[in-house]
Amino acid sequence: MAAPDLLDPKTATHNSKPRLSFSAQPVLLKSPDDFEPRVTVMRWKTVLSVFLLVVLYLIVGATVFKELEQPHETSQKLAILVEKLEFLEQHPCVNSSDLENLVKQVVSALRAGVNPSGYSSNQSSLWDLSNSFFFAGTVITTIGFGNISPHTEGGRIFCIIYALLGIPLFGFLLAGVGDQLGTIFGKAIAKVEGMIDKWNVSQTKIRVISTVLFILFGCLLFVTLPAIIFKHIEGWSALESIYFVVITLTTIGFGDFVAGEGERRQHEENSGGSELEYLDYYKPLVWFWILIGLAYFAAVLSMIGDWFRVISKKTKEEVGEFRAHAAEWTANVSAEFKETRRRLSVDIYDRFQRAASIKRKLSAEINLSPPVNQQMTPGKRARSVNLGDEREVYPYTFVRNGSLFLNGLIPDYADHLDITKTQTK
Amino acid sequence: MSTTFRSCFVPTGFILGYIAYLLLGALVFSAIERPVEETLKSDLSSLKAEFLNLSCVNATALETFLEKVLQANKYGVSVLENATLPTNWDLASALFFANTMVTTVGYGHSTPLSDEGKAFSIVYALIGVPFTMLVLTACVQRLMHPLTYGPISICQRRAGLQPRTASVVHFIVLLFLVVLGFFVVPALVFSTIEETWSFLDSFYFCFISLCTIGLGDFVPAEKPGQRLRALYKISVMVYLFVGLMVMFLVLRTFHKLADVHGWTAFFQLPSYEEEDEDREPIIEQEPDDESPEAEKASVKPLDPSSQVSYNSINR
């Protein structure tokens, strides 16, 4: 089961840039000679012992699978051979029902994992030790090619139990291998960065360069080189080799192409497929490559996931920042708007007062007594009372209060102009 | 209010993006692979006609014929007359294929035949697999609150259990429910729908699929003449995705359990890290109860890192 914890918040807080190496700690630029063992990384002895344990587990599994599956396979082989002989003995005027029967047998034999085509009947068993080892490997790495699969009930039950224990075990191993790989790569990167440091390149550039180096080097070592090897040994095309490598290392494992199970491509001269001759150490080497390649691919995938997470976090941050800015801007604008309106109303009131005082002066000159029968609205009374006050107090006080109503000065001014809105705030 | 809305919005957005990605893959695969499959089918039928016209059948001709039949069968194309196998690349099947690819299950019952299909699968897988992992992790992190932290703190408060005991009890109950709900019940359903599958076969299929091994010896909805095939395939897809999420949940719960009991510190494994800071704890007391234990247990492993599953490297 593949589950990188991609939404790891703590690494996000530690470094906002995406992690460029999968070692336990980010590579320190300042101490390129830092070779002390890191506390959080499994020591190599532990890794070695876990590796041996996994190999032992695989051997045990292979033996059990072989014991369970091989008898079943032999009986199926016999059945298909008998069918073939009968078909050949019959008269060549073949009718369609016979043909259908043959094909049905072929298909069911194939489902049982037997290849009925091919000249020799002494084909290697699909469940001999090395193939069973390979099968056990595909189970615990969860690749699951499927070109071989258990067909007996016992085999299937054992497969379930085997996977339940084996997958976490392989998980530990992979974590350990990944740590070792990360340590090695981290040291190499530190050395390179130490060299580049003399050129006074910015840290971002160094990070970018180290990521690119990591991806390129890893691709070369774990993808391109094996693909070339497979192309030559298995006879696949270049695309098919790369396809096989990617599908295997992401643990998808379709099984249409499997290293070590191939048949040579049918050329014009051959009329049937013949099994390829593999060297003895080919299959274990393939399994070892799968192990390290899985660690590399897991690192690449988690790096891509890191990028996703950082992008989404950055987007969230940016959206949050944008929202904060927008709120700030709105608050500023409305505050300014209020201020402007208030100043405007102060200005207008001031001018009105001046006009009113001029008017009073003129009326006083014309008619000395103040009009008695004039209806004294509270506002007018207030105004007449406040006539003696210094006029410069008014703007001052209501600038201080920020509200025209507080002095109770001009309610009917408020009636005229719709200034009440500003006051309620 | 806004943070809870956001923490609901992000997984939903991810899920929608995931569904869109699957649909895209399904459409592309369908467009690329259908013509090639048709060609292969017609080739096979002409070969069959040729074979029937031969007056004398010799061994080499038979071998050639068998070879071709096997090749076709490997790609899911059958030459049998009465087998009206529908195409492997209609929309529902292609969607199913894209889902199996992106969750890394990879049955292999239908695989891309053309070169363009293979090239596209490479790119699709390289982008889709980490994206799916991201989606699943986000959903699981969201689910941990109601399904793990909530019940554990309820256990602690109501029953007055210690955190260690509460987590063990909770884990056992969770495991039991998961096995019942995601293995036994679907196995029963599958064994009823698929005529040739026994209960053990269905259970084996559920296990192999949910561990993403995906051998491909059993694939649902592959029988000829299956009724409501598209609906069946899509419901199997949903079951696989939800089941995978639940498996991750169980794994994380187990990791937290191991942390609480100090096993991760003992083995110097990466410790369990808490969730995003922008998630509000549903129950406020709960972090106070769990974090002292977690902090005690995680004294030795310094760095925060992911769970121990084999696609996560120690960070």
Side-chain angles (χ1 to χ4, degrees):
Chain A
M1 291 172 38
D5 257 345
L6 302 170
L7 300 182
D8 191 348
K10 287 192 185 164
T11 45
T13 50
H14 281 175
N15 43 336
S16 58
K17 294 193 188 102
R19 287 179 36 85
L20 302 178
S21 67
F22 52 55
S23 58
Q25 291 166 9
V27 175
L28 303 169
L29 263 187
K30 292 179 185 152
S31 53
D33 303 320
D34 185 25
F35 288 121
E36 66 183 291
R38 299 191 176 121
V39 182
T40 54
V41 166
M42 271 197 254
R43 300 200 186 89
W44 69 270
K45 280 186 192 159
T46 322
V47 176
L48 196 63
S49 49
V50 175
F51 177 80
L52 287 173
L53 193 65
V54 169
V55 169
L56 189 69
Y57 187 81
L58 282 178
I59 292 175
V60 165
T63 326
V64 176
F65 275 121
K66 174 175 177 304
E67 293 304 316
L68 289 173
E69 293 293 330
Q70 218 166 20
H72 176 84
E73 182 198 35
T74 332
S75 62
Q76 277 287 316
K77 254 197 209 165
L78 279 173
I80 194 72
L81 203 61
V82 163
E83 273 293 313
K84 229 164 87 168
L85 287 172
E86 278 179 6
F87 183 80
L88 284 175
E89 274 173 10
Q90 280 178 3
H91 201 268
C93 287
V94 181
N95 53 358
S96 57
S97 61
D98 281 347
L99 181 66
E100 294 298 319
N101 275 337
L102 174 71
V103 170
K104 266 187 210 158
Q105 286 289 324
V106 163
V107 166
S108 61
L110 187 71
R111 229 175 261 144
V114 174
N115 184 353
S117 137
Y119 291 102
S120 58
S121 54
N122 59 344
Q123 301 167 11
S124 59
S125 159
L126 276 178
W127 289 102
D128 61 1
L129 203 61
S130 74
N131 283 337
S132 308
F133 185 86
F134 199 70
F135 171 73
T138 65
V139 167
I140 65 172
T141 54
T142 79
I143 297 177
F145 283 124
N147 56 340
I148 317 175
S149 55
H151 288 93
T152 56
E153 279 202 11
R156 285 178 182 147
I157 294 176
F158 177 69
C159 189
I160 291 176
I161 301 170
Y162 190 73
L164 265 179
L165 297 174
I167 292 174
L169 181 69
F170 189 76
F172 291 167
L173 175 67
L174 203 68
V177 170
D179 283 342
Q180 297 301 313
L181 259 183
T183 317
I184 294 173
F185 192 73
K187 286 182 198 166
I189 282 289
K191 279 191 189 157
V192 168
E193 283 175 350
M195 287 194 300
I196 296 182
D197 211 12
K198 296 175 199 161
W199 300 345
N200 291 336
V201 187
S202 75
Q203 194 171 349
T204 329
K205 280 188 195 163
I206 292 179
R207 288 267 145 129
V208 169
I209 290 174
S210 61
T211 326
V212 170
L213 269 180
F214 169 69
I215 292 181
L216 278 181
F217 190 68
C219 266
L220 191 72
L221 198 60
F222 299 120
V223 176
T224 323
L225 197 64
I228 296 175
I229 294 177
F230 287 133
K231 181 175 180 328
H232 279 283
I233 295 187
E234 302 278 344
W236 298 332
S237 75
L239 177 70
E240 285 165 353
S241 310
I242 297 181
Y243 170 75
F244 166 72
V245 166
V246 169
I247 293 290
T248 307
L249 290 186
T250 50
T251 80
I252 297 177
F254 283 131
D256 47 355
F257 294 96
V258 181
E261 303 292 333
E263 294 182 354
R264 212 173 276 285
R265 274 285 169 85
Q266 202 175 4
H267 298 295
E268 302 86 45
E269 300 88 47
N270 300 353
S271 51
S274 60
E275 289 218 352
L276 290 175
E277 305 273 321
Y278 295 113
L279 298 171
D280 269 337
Y281 57 81
Y282 178 66
K283 283 214 179 121
L285 206 63
V286 171
W287 185 80
F288 195 67
W289 160 72
I290 287 179
L291 172 66
I292 302 193
L294 277 176
Y296 166 73
F297 246 69
V300 169
L301 291 178
S302 65
M303 210 192 296
I304 295 180
D306 264 347
W307 286 102
F308 273 136
R309 178 172 50 80
V310 168
I311 287 173
S312 77
K313 229 179 167 62
K314 272 199 174 148
T315 318
K316 266 199 254 178
E317 279 172 12
E318 276 165 22
V319 167
E321 270 179 38
F322 176 70
R323 266 199 247 136
H325 278 165
E328 214 183 295
W329 179 83
T330 321
N332 280 344
V333 163
S334 54
E336 275 192 38
F337 192 48
K338 276 188 231 169
E339 181 68 27
T340 315
R341 279 204 296 190
R342 192 183 48 74
R343 268 194 234 126
L344 201 64
S345 59
V346 166
D347 196 29
I348 292 174
Y349 170 71
D350 210 31
R351 291 192 194 177
F352 185 76
Q353 279 291 67
R354 276 193 228 127
S357 64
I358 291 170
K359 190 176 154 194
R360 259 179 266 118
K361 268 192 197 157
L362 289 174
S363 63
E365 281 165 16
I366 294 169
N367 180 5
L368 278 172
S369 60
V372 180
N373 54 351
Q374 234 185 12
Q375 205 176 6
M376 281 290 263
T377 61
K380 279 191 183 158
R381 194 174 289 130
R383 233 182 291 145
S384 61
V385 162
N386 286 333
L387 258 181
D389 295 349
E390 277 106 357
R391 227 160 266 129
E392 44 296 347
V393 175
Y394 299 146
Y396 180 68
T397 41
F398 87 5
V399 160
R400 227 185 354 179
N401 292 332
S403 161
L404 285 173
F405 256 152
L406 276 182
N407 299 340
L409 288 175
I410 37 167
D412 59 343
Y413 170 67
D415 292 343
H416 286 297
L417 287 176
D418 205 11
I419 207 81
T420 47
K421 283 182 196 160
T422 20
Q423 311 321 314
T424 52
K425 303 270 161 103
Chain B
M1 183 63 184
S2 64
T3 40
T4 45
F5 173 73
R6 216 163 1 125
S7 63
C8 280
F9 177 70
V10 167
T12 325
F14 271 139
I15 289 180
L16 286 176
Y18 175 79
I19 294 176
Y21 189 80
L22 279 182
L23 275 173
L24 171 75
L27 284 170
V28 174
F29 276 119
S30 190
I32 293 179
E33 295 295 331
R34 261 305 232 315
V36 179
E37 190 194 29
E38 300 295 324
T39 328
L40 194 59
K41 268 190 189 161
S42 58
D43 280 350
L44 260 185
S45 56
S46 60
L47 182 71
K48 218 169 96 172
E50 255 185 62
F51 192 88
L52 285 174
N53 283 337
L54 285 176
S55 58
C56 196
V57 179
N58 56 357
T60 42
L62 177 67
E63 295 302 327
T64 321
F65 179 73
L66 286 179
E67 177 78 26
K68 292 251 159 63
V69 167
L70 292 179
Q71 278 290 99
N73 198 68
K74 213 163 52 161
Y75 298 133
V77 178
S78 168
V79 88
L80 297 175
E81 208 174 57
N82 54 357
T84 50
L85 258 185
T87 169
N88 264 327
W89 296 103
D90 61 345
L91 194 64
S93 310
L95 201 62
F96 188 69
F97 172 75
N99 187 45
T100 62
M101 178 180 271
V102 141
T103 51
T104 79
V105 171
Y107 287 122
H109 64 292
S110 63
T111 55
L113 300 168
S114 57
D115 277 349
E116 300 88 8
K118 293 193 175 93
F120 179 69
S121 335
I122 292 175
V123 176
Y124 191 75
L126 279 176
I127 299 178
V129 171
F131 181 57
T132 313
M133 293 309 142
L134 194 69
V135 170
L136 283 171
T137 320
C139 293
V140 167
Q141 273 194 343
R142 188 82 187 88
L143 280 176
M144 281 294 278
H145 285 287
L147 290 180
T148 303
Y149 300 140
I152 287 184
S153 64
I154 287 177
C155 269
Q156 279 176 238
R157 270 196 264 153
R158 296 257 183 92
L161 293 170
Q162 292 297 310
R164 294 163 80 110
T165 337
S167 51
V168 169
V169 164
H170 166 262
F171 182 68
I172 292 176
V173 170
L174 180 73
L175 205 61
F176 178 71
L177 284 175
V178 163
V179 166
L180 195 68
F182 281 92
F183 287 94
V184 173
V185 168
L188 283 171
V189 172
F190 279 126
S191 59
T192 342
I193 297 182
E194 302 276 343
E195 295 102 21
T196 52
W197 293 11
S198 70
F199 177 74
L200 176 68
D201 292 342
S202 316
F203 191 87
Y204 169 76
F205 162 75
C206 292
F207 179 80
I208 292 289
S209 309
L210 287 186
C211 283
T212 78
I213 299 177
L215 287 171
D217 44 359
F218 290 104
V219 183
E222 288 300 314
K223 279 268 165 313
Q226 176 78 41
R227 292 177 303 162
L228 298 174
R229 190 159 174 260
L231 184 67
Y232 187 21
K233 271 200 186 301
I234 292 184
S235 45
V236 172
M237 236 175 69
V238 170
Y239 160 68
L240 284 181
F241 189 74
V242 175
L244 207 59
M245 221 190 299
V246 167
M247 297 295 270
F248 282 5
L249 184 76
V250 168
L251 205 64
R252 276 181 84 93
T253 314
F254 181 70
H255 196 187
K256 182 122 179 73
L257 178 83
D259 233 24
V260 166
H261 283 259
W263 299 335
T264 48
F266 179 70
F267 286 111
Q268 291 191 338
L269 292 171
S271 76
Y272 182 86
E273 94 289 353
E274 300 298 326
E275 316 73 48
D276 270 355
E277 52 264 357
D278 60 357
R279 302 238 190 278
E280 289 172 323
I282 290 176
I283 300 169
E284 288 87 33
Q285 279 186 19
E286 188 278 318
D288 296 331
D289 293 327
E290 297 293 349
S291 52
E293 265 72 28
E295 271 161 23
K296 261 190 263 166
S298 63
V299 158
K300 277 187 216 160
L302 294 172
D303 263 358
S305 59
S306 52
Q307 58 194 7
V308 182
S309 64
Y310 89 102
N311 226 8
S312 74
I313 304 301
N314 196 353
R315 294 191 190 175

